[in-house]
Amino acid sequence: MSTSQNQQIQILKAASSKINEVDFDNVTFGSVFTDHLFECDYIQGAWQTPTIKPYAPFLLDPSARVFHYGQAVFEGMKAYKDTNDSIWLFRPDENYKRFNKSAVRMAMPEVPETIFMEGLNELLKLDQAWIKKGLGNSLYIRPFMIATGSGVMASPSDNYKFMILLSPAKAYYSGEVKVLIAEHYSRAANGGIGAAKAAGNYAAQFYPTSLANQAGFQQVIWTDDATHTMLEEAGTMNVFFRINDTLFTAPTSERILDGITRKSLIEIAQKEGIAVSVRPVLVSELVAAAKDGSLKEIFGAGTAAVVNPIAGFSYQEVYYELPKTENSYASLLKEKLTNIQNKLAEDSFGWTVKV
């Protein structure tokens, strides 16, 4: 292991790489990690020296607040390599802003931009061999922060650990997705933490999603907590509905995550001349559109899958199959966005940032 100093980031290099042990053609999403990780501790009101070091487990006190009160936030983003071996990020400023918005909501310290961005850039440069070229290949990036202060008193921690992990990823395909519209469970509530990427949001989805799985569905479309009449998100993704030739999606709120893929697809759709309506979408509207044939598509949007088409939905024990649509908006928008991300098309929006 060698040690060097770069832009006040301490870099401890792994003695050897495990990259040759990885089957990049068959890697399971989020299961394999690169040789190094980035970490920086926040102790008693001050950020410490950031470090890049070999990927390895670390110790925490059993009374660390993250275990007892759930102070944990994260982000999801990707890096891409173009045909010239240059590395690109997609709208990293949006991930950075959302990360700190989540941190504030969870009473955690904001991470300085220099630590977040410079740490990420140096980590990507060090493990750049893990980023494979070609459409469908990427490096998934997981920045996260946890409360590490000890003690089981019910109050915010005084110490935190910010880390960045890297994981090689192939094109995400989950097969045909059938969804169940939630009639009882909710993803989030007004005044809650639905707009934050807090770890507990995702844990709370596992149980109702498992019930949907047992009933033969892959995901849940969440509805609002008060009336269960408004459609909000699909699983862990934002969701779009195509009725005739208009795309509908719910507005962001305290309950709905401000998805970066979501906002990008909206801008691309508008540029392509597709009508987009950002407003609350009622379950009754969706059912009526399915019955009269005007419902053409439903698809989720998020970092991992980019766009995930939905084959059909169930509501009140009635299943509605969607038509097989040629030249779907889902495929068009996914192609446009992934071409920008992979530098295969002009980025007229200025979204891509070179590392």
Side-chain angles (χ1 to χ4, degrees):
M1 182 185 298
S2 61
T3 303
S4 63
Q5 197 79 14
N6 186 67
Q7 297 179 344
Q8 297 184 344
I9 298 175
Q10 185 181 37
I11 300 177
L12 309 173
K13 294 184 179 180
S16 61
S17 176
K18 57 181 182 284
I19 193 170
N20 292 328
E21 303 170 12
V22 178
D23 179 1
F24 282 90
D25 292 328
N26 296 291
V27 67
T28 300
F29 182 82
S31 64
V32 175
F33 298 93
T34 64
D35 294 317
H36 301 88
L37 56 77
F38 174 87
E39 76 170 11
C40 189
D41 289 310
Y42 180 90
I43 300 175
Q44 300 293 334
W47 287 100
Q48 308 300 300
T49 301
T51 303
I52 292 175
K53 63 183 186 180
Y55 186 99
F58 60 92
L59 294 174
L60 279 181
D61 190 292
S63 71
R65 305 288 176 84
V66 64
F67 298 138
H68 302 273
Y69 303 109
Q71 278 186 291
V73 298
F74 68 93
E75 268 299 323
M77 45 201 302
K78 286 181 178 178
Y80 307 84
K81 186 177 284 185
D82 66 18
T83 55
N84 298 316
D85 288 326
S86 295
I87 303 167
W88 297 86
L89 294 169
F90 181 74
R91 308 189 77 173
D93 55 322
E94 293 290 338
N95 290 102
Y96 170 70
K97 288 188 292 186
R98 192 173 65 183
F99 185 89
N100 277 339
K101 180 180 178 182
S102 298
V104 168
R105 180 62 183 84
M106 299 298 290
M108 304 170 80
E110 294 182 69
V111 177
E113 186 172 6
T114 52
I115 290 177
F116 189 105
M117 292 300 187
E118 290 178 20
L120 175 56
N121 275 263
E122 292 305 317
L123 183 60
L124 288 170
K125 290 175 185 176
L126 186 59
D127 281 348
Q128 61 183 287
W130 290 78
I131 314 173
K132 300 303 179 181
K133 289 185 287 190
L135 191 64
N137 294 318
S138 63
L139 192 67
Y140 182 75
I141 302 165
R142 171 52 63 90
F144 69 99
M145 182 165 53
I146 58 173
T148 55
S150 59
V152 295
M153 59 289 291
S155 62
S157 176
D158 47 9
N159 298 336
Y160 297 87
K161 184 182 290 290
F162 169 67
M163 304 184 77
I164 304 175
L165 311 180
L166 305 178
S167 178
K170 295 290 291 180
Y172 187 95
Y173 178 67
S174 59
E176 186 174 83
V177 175
K178 297 180 179 180
V179 298
L180 182 68
I181 293 180
E183 298 178 53
H184 173 71
Y185 294 102
S186 297
R187 177 187 174 273
N190 283 332
I193 57 173
K197 282 188 76 72
N201 281 345
Y202 297 80
Q205 295 183 47
F206 294 158
Y207 176 66
T209 301
S210 71
L211 296 180
N213 296 161
Q214 292 168 27
F217 301 93
Q218 287 71 47
Q219 281 292 355
V220 175
I221 291 186
W222 307 104
T223 50
D224 69 289
D225 63 299
T227 67
H228 294 289
T229 61
M230 293 183 288
L231 299 156
E232 303 211 315
E233 293 193 354
T236 59
M237 310 176 79
N238 295 115
V239 64
F240 288 82
F241 309 94
R242 177 185 174 184
I243 299 177
N244 289 320
D245 291 328
T246 299
L247 269 185
F248 294 85
T249 192
T252 56
S253 67
E254 290 182 309
R255 301 187 308 273
I256 299 176
L257 191 71
D258 185 11
I260 295 160
T261 303
R262 170 191 174 276
K263 66 176 67 177
S264 303
L265 292 178
I266 289 172
E267 290 192 51
I268 292 172
Q270 291 171 333
K271 185 177 180 181
E272 292 297 312
I274 296 172
V276 180
S277 179
V278 180
R279 65 161 177 80
V281 182
L282 299 177
V283 178
S284 59
E285 288 182 89
L286 192 71
V287 170
K291 288 179 177 178
D292 67 23
S294 59
L295 178 62
K296 307 301 184 184
E297 298 178 68
I298 305 174
F299 56 88
T303 300
V306 185
V307 170
N308 195 357
I310 291 170
F313 71 92
S314 179
Y315 180 65
Q316 293 184 342
E317 299 186 354
V318 178
Y319 181 71
Y320 301 88
E321 186 83 22
L322 270 67
K324 305 296 183 184
T325 304
E326 292 186 15
N327 304 315
S328 69
Y329 287 175
S331 59
L332 170 67
L333 295 176
K334 183 173 185 176
E335 180 182 13
K336 293 288 184 180
L337 182 54
T338 54
N339 281 346
I340 290 172
Q341 291 171 330
N342 287 274
K343 304 303 288 184
L344 298 174
E346 179 188 1
D347 176 16
S348 60
F349 301 95
W351 288 335
T352 51
V353 177
K354 192 172 183 179
V355 174

